């Protein structure tokens, strides 16, 4: 459904998109013992596919930040990737990551909970890697306190390709820094 995908890409983050604050899942976003969050707000999205973007304060990335990317085998040392964020929403937030999934609720839990880099850790590890946060715990707390998720539902298997195309389209449009990978 290329027409629908184009319309969603062009309307982002308004028509056809919903928003939820990362803070919504905790009574207190502080890291600690009851660190599981309350996911009842998004239980209707369990098993529902879609595309989402994580927005964070642009002020954290001024004048710019640097990520060290793993270089291809033919290149010596890491590749320095310098970036900043543009204010997308008029309230000081910019796109740091775009993702697609067949289960929105589960994917957000991975992003906003403790876990490994490979398990939905792109944003929290990205915050540490570019020195916005000193460690993963503080990165996670910053994400929980300040993150905003903008998403659209594209459920069922027949939307699998649409999710892929929409994710690539948003990445091309906004250049989210935590989606950037070097050739391996």
């Amino acid at each position: 459904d290329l027409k629908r995908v184009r319309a969603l890409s062009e309307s982002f983050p308004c028509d056809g998109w919903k928003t939820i604050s990362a803070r919504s899942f905790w009574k207190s976003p502080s890291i600690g013992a009851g660190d599981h969050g309350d996911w009842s707000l998004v239980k209707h999205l369990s098993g529902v596919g879609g595309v989402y973007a994580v927005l964070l304060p642009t002020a954290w990335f001024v004048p710019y930040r640097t990520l060290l990317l793993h270089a291809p085998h033919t290149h010596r040392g890491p590749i320095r990737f310098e970036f900043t964020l543009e204010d997308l929403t008029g309230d000081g937030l910019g796109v740091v990551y775009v993702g697609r999934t067949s289960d929105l609720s589960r994917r957000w839990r991975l992003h906003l909970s403790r876990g490994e880099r490979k398990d939905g850790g792109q944003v929290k590890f990205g915050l540490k890697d570019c020195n916005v946060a000193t460690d993963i715990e503080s990165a996670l707390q910053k994400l929980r306190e300040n993150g905003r998720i903008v998403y659209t539902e594209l459920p069922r298997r027949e939307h699998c390709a649409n999710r892929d195309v929409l994710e690539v389209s948003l990445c091309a449009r906004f250049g989210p820094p935590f989606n950037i990978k070097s050739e391996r």
Side-chain angles (χ1 to χ4, degrees):
D1 191 353
L2 192 54
K3 187 176 180 178
R4 181 177 180 187
V5 168
R6 281 188 178 143
L8 283 168
S9 177
E10 291 169 5
S11 70
F12 181 86
C14 298
D15 297 335
W17 295 88
K18 300 173 186 170
T19 301
I20 192 164
S21 169
R23 184 183 289 268
S24 303
F25 303 112
W26 286 271
K27 290 179 182 156
S28 168
S30 298
I31 309 300
D35 193 36
H36 303 292
D38 177 5
W39 297 96
S40 62
L41 283 173
V42 292
K43 67 181 176 187
H44 65 286
L45 296 174
S46 182
V48 176
V51 175
Y52 63 97
V54 177
L55 283 60
L56 289 173
T58 57
W60 292 356
F61 305 94
V62 173
Y64 65 87
R65 293 290 176 163
T66 302
L67 285 172
L68 297 179
L69 304 174
H70 297 284
H73 298 295
T74 58
H75 188 278
R76 283 206 158 121
I79 297 170
R80 291 175 54 84
F81 171 65
E82 293 181 348
F83 68 93
T84 189
L85 290 184
E86 290 184 31
D87 183 342
L88 173 71
T89 58
D91 60 355
L93 297 177
V95 178
V96 293
Y97 181 77
V98 174
R100 69 184 185 311
T101 182
S102 60
D103 189 331
L104 289 164
S105 176
R106 180 179 180 279
R107 183 62 56 87
W108 299 342
R109 272 193 310 273
L110 290 171
H111 277 297
L112 297 169
S113 301
R114 290 184 174 100
E116 300 299 317
R117 186 179 295 263
K118 64 180 175 48
D119 299 326
Q122 297 90 333
V123 179
K124 59 189 167 231
F125 281 92
L127 289 171
K128 180 187 176 296
D129 293 346
C130 73
N131 296 313
V132 167
T134 55
D135 55 39
I136 296 305
E137 297 296 309
S138 63
L140 193 51
Q141 187 161 343
K142 285 178 177 285
L143 177 57
R144 288 177 179 181
E145 288 175 352
N146 300 282
R148 181 181 299 164
I149 300 168
V150 179
Y151 68 98
T152 192
E153 298 167 36
L154 291 169
R156 301 180 303 281
R157 289 179 12 188
E158 64 266 22
H159 282 298
C160 183
N162 294 331
R163 291 190 297 260
D164 286 351
V165 173
L166 183 54
E167 178 192 34
V168 169
S169 175
L170 293 177
C171 284
R173 188 167 163 210
F174 297 106
F178 300 152
N179 283 87
I180 305 294
K181 297 178 183 135
S182 65
E183 190 177 347
R184 294 186 192 216

